[in-house]
Amino acid sequence: DVRGAALATIISQFLSAAWVLRFLFSDRSILRLKRETMVLKKARVLKIVSMGMSSFAAGFTNSVVAVACNATLQTWGGDLYVGVMTVIHSVREIAENLVKGLTGGSQPVLGYNFGAGQHARVIKTLKLTIIYATCVTTFGFIVGMLFSDWVVSIFTSDAELIALSAKGLRIVVMFFPIIGFQMVTANFFQSIGMASKAIFLSLTRQMMVLLPCLIILPRFFGVAGVWYSMPISD
């Protein structure tokens, strides 16, 4: 049930954190952590927090938008459409997580070379990451448009849920190819220490565009207004 899934998530995160800490304190790590050096310094903590605010803002706004989506769908469509949103979100997450993997991998390369003044390498890395991310999201767009019924059927066997989810998915991924660029750009500014720009980009799509659309469009288009909100914000 849901409680089991939640417990499994907590246990997996705890074990993952324990394994990473064990490795970083061991002799196998090139940069080994030592207890005596792990002293908090205000300037360093503030810099870490400022750099992490972009990711925090993205995660927080995702949660707010998810609540708004479910509340809106519950009002205009009922439980069935909340299930539809769950399926659509799961499909989107597959492609978005691949892009997050690319952006996470590019972060140390971007940060190191920017700090070393190797701007040509920074631009090259940025361009390559954008190209790869766009390829991933374009592939997600093609699959969502042409094979939506098949993709949705992986998550449910209910015929009505499949039909509604497939229709919604085709609308939601309408402008999906450009999502990769947006995600990479926000990560880029975070990687080179420009926290304010990264936070602005993280908040713009979700809070300044998507959330107002979720409030306004369903009043005119019903449940379809929720689906239209996503390509508009993209």
Side-chain angles (χ1 to χ4, degrees):
D1 60 4
V2 175
R3 287 179 297 179
L7 185 60
T9 302
I10 295 171
I11 293 173
S12 64
Q13 290 175 341
F14 174 79
L15 292 177
S16 175
W19 186 88
V20 170
L21 285 173
R22 183 173 179 273
F23 173 79
L24 291 175
F25 277 104
S26 71
D27 295 331
R28 291 180 295 166
S29 176
I30 297 174
L31 298 175
R32 185 181 177 188
L33 292 181
K34 297 179 181 179
R35 290 183 178 84
E36 58 269 21
T37 61
M38 296 179 68
V39 179
L40 295 179
K41 295 183 178 180
K42 183 179 179 180
R44 187 174 298 166
V45 170
L46 289 175
K47 189 171 184 179
I48 292 171
V49 170
S50 67
M51 289 297 98
M53 281 301 295
S54 174
S55 297
F56 170 78
F60 177 76
T61 54
N62 280 337
S63 299
V64 172
V65 167
V67 171
C69 275
N70 288 337
T72 304
L73 289 168
Q74 186 71 51
T75 300
W76 295 95
D79 291 340
L80 178 62
Y81 281 93
V82 174
V84 170
M85 186 64 218
T86 302
V87 173
I88 292 174
H89 179 72
S90 298
V91 175
R92 277 183 61 109
E93 277 287 290
I94 295 172
E96 289 182 354
N97 283 335
L98 288 172
V99 175
K100 288 176 184 177
L102 288 170
T103 58
S106 71
Q107 270 191 334
V109 180
L110 290 167
Y112 176 83
N113 284 288
F114 184 80
Q118 298 289 340
H119 295 160
R121 291 182 181 179
V122 173
I123 296 300
K124 183 179 180 180
T125 302
L126 176 61
K127 287 181 177 178
L128 286 173
T129 309
I130 289 174
I131 290 170
Y132 294 147
T134 302
C135 287
V136 169
T137 52
T138 301
F139 179 74
F141 163 78
I142 293 171
V143 172
M145 281 293 187
L146 301 181
F147 308 102
S148 55
D149 294 271
W150 174 77
V151 173
V152 168
S153 67
I154 297 173
F155 297 90
T156 179
S157 59
D158 185 280
E160 185 179 9
L161 190 57
I162 289 174
L164 292 172
S165 299
K167 181 180 179 181
L169 180 61
R170 285 191 290 270
I171 298 173
V172 167
V173 300
M174 196 178 297
F175 293 109
F176 204 53
I178 61 177
I179 283 294
F181 173 80
Q182 194 273 343
M183 294 175 67
V184 170
T185 306
N187 172 79
F188 169 72
F189 286 114
Q190 183 181 9
S191 301
I192 64 174
M194 296 185 179
S196 58
K197 289 182 174 63
I199 294 170
F200 175 77
L201 288 173
S202 296
L203 291 177
T204 301
R205 176 176 172 268
Q206 300 281 64
M207 297 297 287
M208 296 174 65
V209 182
L210 181 53
L211 196 57
C213 285
L214 287 172
I215 296 171
I216 297 169
L217 293 184
R219 299 180 182 276
F220 298 95
F221 304 103
V223 171
V226 176
W227 311 145
Y228 294 141
S229 298
M230 296 180 189
I232 288 172
S233 64
D234 292 343

